Amino acid sequence: MRGKVRKCVSFGNTSRKMFDYMPIAALVDDTIFCTHGGLSPSIHTIDQIRVLERLQEIPHEGPITDLMWSDPDVRGEGFKTSTRGAGLAR
């Protein structure tokens, strides 16, 4: 049983690390901006996203975190802390 548990833990760690290599955002047909989460108040151009160091775990705060975990909010204006504790709401 111990060997199976080690293999499961190893597979879990490897599969989580795989996400560190996935793109943070995409520009489709030079028209449609796609991101996992939302926008960031510190990013104003696509070029600023292109220079972000993606090969890392998602940090606790900053533009990468915002792009991954921010929540769109049509009721408010500007950025505010997300109720989920990660990213921002806009």
Side-chain angles (χ1 to χ4, degrees), residues 71-86:
D71 299 313
D73 185 354
V74 295
R75 298 171 297 180
E77 289 186 23
F79 291 89
K80 60 185 177 190
T81 304
S82 172
T83 57
R84 292 188 304 135

Side-chain angles (χ1 to χ4, degrees), residues 23-71:
I24 254 180
L27 189 58
V28 178
D29 213 17
D30 283 327
T31 307
I32 302 167
F33 176 69
C34 303
T35 184
H36 180 270
L39 303 174
S40 173
S42 62
I43 293 181
H44 304 284
T45 68
I46 298 293
D47 287 332
Q48 288 176 296
I49 297 171
R50 288 185 176 121
V51 298
L52 291 174
E53 179 59 46
R54 176 60 188 106
L55 302 180
Q56 61 176 312
E57 287 186 31
I58 305 300
H60 293 285
E61 58 185 23
I64 292 176
T65 305
D66 297 341
L67 291 170
M68 289 299 294
W69 300 120
S70 290
D71 299 313

